[in-house]
Amino acid sequence: MTKSADIGLIGLAVMGENLVLNMESKGFTVAVYNRTVEKVDKFIHGRGAGKNFIGAHSIEELVASLERPRKVMLLVKAGQAVDDFIEQIIPHLEPGDIIIDGGNSYFVDTIRRAKYVESKGFLYIGTGVSGGEIGALHGPSMMPGGSVEAWPAVKNIFQSIAAKVDDGTPCCDWVGSDGAGHFVKMVHNGIEYGDMQIIGEAYQVMRDLLGMSADEMHEVFKKWNTEELDSYLIEITADIMAYKDEDGKPMVDKILDTAGQKGTGKWTGTAALDLGIPLTLIGESVFARFLSAQKDMRVEASKVISGPKPTFTGDKVQLLDDLKMALYGAKIISYAQGYNLFMAAAKEYDWKLNYGDIALMWRGGCIIRSAFLGDIKKAFDTNPELPHLLLDGFFKQKVEGAQDGWRRVCAAALINGIPAPALTSALCYLDGFRSEWLPANLLQAQRDYFGAHTYERIDKPRGQFFHTNWTGEGGDTVSTAYNS
Ligand code: NBP
């Protein structure tokens, strides 16, 4: 009798290869296929040699080798390739079979694909997979969403291969319908952009203002990783600071200062704009990458526009402690904004997101894993209806405690001409969020002055709109009062 596989995977690149090796190591038989078919044989005779894999040379062969309900997982380049493979797989499926997209697909595409595949009588899962190649091999964080009837069929495989937190809970649980899994993964990536940006800003303050060497910074990041900022990204930053090139000089200094991006940060920003959520820290992080990419223009500008020369005369130990508080405070803002976005998306797309479980899914395996996520889980366990993370007692107290040092860092960066867009905008958000009054009354007056857009009054019930003939030349006709 020919052997059959528990799951099939298309896409033997970095993520696919490592994920199937992880599945096989947990006792599953995996059938594998790749567009460039030679890569199948290379894998079967290479990293997959002597293991429980079935190498398929066509989609038909792949699907035929699977136990029912068939589970076909795609780990290919996001975009058209996913649609193309769905079209190729569908003719070989039977009702109840499942297509899984494990790539970084845009959640709007996943909503569309889930509807399409379900309309053909099959089931669809869009799952975020985070942790890079090491995570894929040893235990990623997984965020599945889509056709809920498909979950029992894949739950055991997904939860077996996922990372586990200390008590053994897998960093993988059902997120919600259609695009919910990919939405959560997208926000995860956005938060990753934000965490990396604030660490980069701290690095620039240490380097340019405090004049610290890479070895000195290594020590600081290593220490921070044992305190409030304990996280994977702080840990790898400490490692990077210590890494030397062949000539013995710090490797980090040899790398060109232009950042790449594959779009998930931009998508998170776009979703925030669409849903009307002030996601300022992630937005600034995406823009900071764009600015870094304008290298030639920056080099030109650096020759013609002058600014302050960074000079520091204060207490270095104090500023380092302030910097840690700035990172901690900004990180709280970043997650608070991300969760604010989740809540708006849940309402818009009718998802029942479990906010505490999302924090738990990110607690291990993924790039943004940190001790801090345990506190977010606790906040939502205490109050599942918490409207905003900053209104939780623990986080309120932590931002209050962090803000003095955080303000000193922002002031020092601004005075010394060191760009810190994420750290400073996060502080502005905090100040805006805790403000009973913001100057939007003037803004409404301006809108009404030039465009008869009307305003509400503090001495009248909400929902009543007024117009003033500011110049004496306008009429009584007003513009329609609506918000877009
Ligand atoms: P890539 O994103 O580099 O994709 C490589 C795979 O896509 C190969 O199997 C390749 O086939 C296939 N492919 C491409 Br490229 N264009 C195709 C097309 N037009 N039609 C069909 N197949 C096509 O691989 P990856 O880095 O392993 O990532 C896989 C997915 O996982 C992506 O969505 C990625 O965003 C996501 N992801 C990546 C990471 C990471 O750390 N790399 C982490 C988390 C998620 P070929 O061999 O024939 O060229």
Side-chain angles (χ1 to χ4, degrees):
M1 201 183 97
T2 12
K3 186 165 74 153
S4 58
D6 299 296
I7 187 166
L9 182 125
I10 299 176
L12 285 173
V14 183
M15 292 300 283
E17 265 199 23
N18 286 293
L19 202 73
V20 293
L21 285 164
N22 181 351
M23 287 174 179
E24 199 273 348
S25 75
K26 301 291 181 311
F28 300 105
T29 301
V30 190
V32 293
Y33 173 74
N34 193 71
R35 176 183 65 167
T36 307
V37 181
E38 300 86 79
K39 290 187 187 169
V40 175
D41 296 324
K42 192 168 165 247
F43 176 74
I44 294 291
H45 300 298
R47 292 179 84 193
K51 300 195 161 102
N52 279 320
F53 289 111
I54 298 172
H57 296 89
S58 67
I59 301 262
E60 195 173 3
E61 207 185 306
L62 177 92
V63 177
S65 70
L66 303 177
E67 280 185 11
R68 294 194 59 197
R70 300 180 183 93
K71 298 165 262 314
V72 185
M73 183 163 186
L74 297 168
L75 258 169
V76 297
K77 185 180 169 195
Q80 191 57 42
V82 177
D83 289 303
D84 293 347
F85 273 123
I86 289 173
E87 286 307 325
Q88 292 174 50
I89 297 164
I90 279 180
H92 306 289
L93 299 183
E94 291 179 83
D97 289 348
I98 306 159
I99 298 179
I100 305 156
D101 172 17
N104 271 339
S105 291
Y106 188 34
F107 77 98
V108 176
D109 288 337
T110 305
I111 292 175
R112 169 179 58 77
R113 288 173 187 144
K115 281 200 179 73
Y116 176 70
V117 172
E118 284 172 3
S119 77
K120 299 279 177 187
F122 313 114
L123 303 174
Y124 194 79
I125 291 179
T127 183
V129 179
S130 174
E133 61 179 312
I134 303 297
L137 183 62
H138 297 297
S141 161
M142 296 182 73
M143 298 146 251
S147 319
V148 69
E149 311 90 291
W151 179 227
V154 300
K155 186 176 175 183
N156 183 30
I157 302 179
F158 279 23
Q159 293 195 334
S160 300
I161 63 169
K164 311 284 181 303
V165 288
D166 297 343
D167 67 358
T169 310
C171 296
C172 170
D173 209 343
W174 190 249
V175 176
S177 59
D178 53 59
H182 273 141
F183 189 89
V184 169
K185 173 62 170 40
M186 177 190 78
V187 175
H188 160 285
N189 283 28
I191 288 175
E192 181 183 305
Y193 274 57
D195 280 358
M196 291 166 77
Q197 176 63 26
I198 55 176
I199 293 172
E201 292 175 11
Y203 158 59
Q204 188 168 1
V205 170
M206 283 191 243
R207 203 188 78 146
D208 292 353
L209 186 59
L210 298 181
M212 290 170 67
S213 68
D215 284 337
E216 287 173 313
M217 290 187 264
H218 161 76
E219 293 302 330
V220 171
F221 283 113
K222 204 168 104 183
K223 179 168 168 291
W224 284 355
N225 197 42
T226 62
E227 301 166 347
E228 294 93 326
L229 297 175
D230 173 0
S231 62
Y232 173 72
L233 283 167
I234 293 283
E235 180 191 328
I236 67 165
T237 305
D239 284 355
I240 290 167
M241 290 299 155
Y243 199 94
K244 303 286 186 294
D245 199 5
E246 283 162 2
D247 61 2
K249 302 238 170 77
M251 188 69 204
V252 68
D253 292 341
K254 305 282 181 78
I255 298 174
L256 190 73
D257 57 327
T258 62
Q261 50 189 318
K262 285 191 169 166
T264 44
K266 186 183 87 175
W267 293 344
T268 316
T270 305
L273 289 172
D274 286 344
L275 292 165
I277 297 300
L279 195 83
T280 56
L281 193 146
I282 294 174
E284 289 293 354
S285 308
V286 177
F287 288 133
R289 288 197 191 193
F290 289 150
L291 183 61
S292 80
Q294 297 183 336
K295 173 78 180 176
D296 294 345
M297 202 150 39
R298 287 193 289 114
V299 170
E300 200 49 41
S302 72
K303 291 177 193 149
V304 294
I305 307 174
S306 60
K309 186 175 171 339
T311 35
F312 185 71
T313 50
D315 179 346
K316 184 173 161 184
V317 175
Q318 174 69 54
L319 193 73
L320 283 174
D321 199 48
D322 289 349
L323 209 43
K324 181 177 74 176
M325 286 298 109
L327 284 182
Y328 189 54
K331 196 173 161 98
I332 293 174
I333 297 299
S334 183
Y335 282 78
Q337 293 181 342
Y339 270 80
N340 196 206
L341 180 62
F342 278 150
M343 289 173 196
K347 208 164 157 196
E348 176 73 15
Y349 298 106
D350 201 19
W351 294 329
K352 289 177 184 47
L353 301 180
N354 183 325
Y355 304 115
D357 281 0
I358 291 171
L360 192 69
M361 275 184 254
W362 293 346
R363 184 75 181 76
C366 68
I367 305 296
I368 61 169
R369 63 182 178 264
S370 67
F372 176 89
L373 285 156
D375 297 322
I376 297 184
K377 166 91 175 115
K378 271 187 225 149
F380 285 102
D381 281 350
T382 307
N383 178 9
E385 305 302 323
L386 186 68
H388 196 287
L389 211 52
L390 291 178
L391 298 176
D392 168 72
F394 174 84
F395 286 108
K396 170 199 115 69
Q397 195 197 349
K398 291 296 173 187
V399 281
E400 282 173 354
Q403 63 179 301
D404 286 353
W406 184 6
R407 287 180 197 284
R408 284 192 290 269
V409 166
C410 291
L414 292 170
I415 288 166
N416 286 284
I418 294 173
L423 291 175
T424 49
S425 75
L427 188 54
C428 290
Y429 173 86
L430 174 66
D431 286 335
F433 185 72
R434 58 176 200 85
S435 293
E436 187 188 344
W437 178 86
L438 286 171
N441 50 337
L442 172 59
L443 196 144
Q444 284 297 83
Q446 291 164 336
R447 292 180 71 235
D448 190 56
Y449 187 112
F450 64 69
H453 291 296
T454 73
Y455 52 83
E456 291 169 278
R457 292 180 59 105
I458 57 170
D459 52 1
K460 299 284 181 200
R462 293 292 310 264
Q464 283 185 30
F465 291 88
F466 300 88
H467 169 61
T468 293
N469 184 352
W470 297 91
T471 58
E473 290 178 19
D476 294 335
T477 311
V478 296
S479 180
T480 317
Y482 58 83
N483 281 315
S484 66

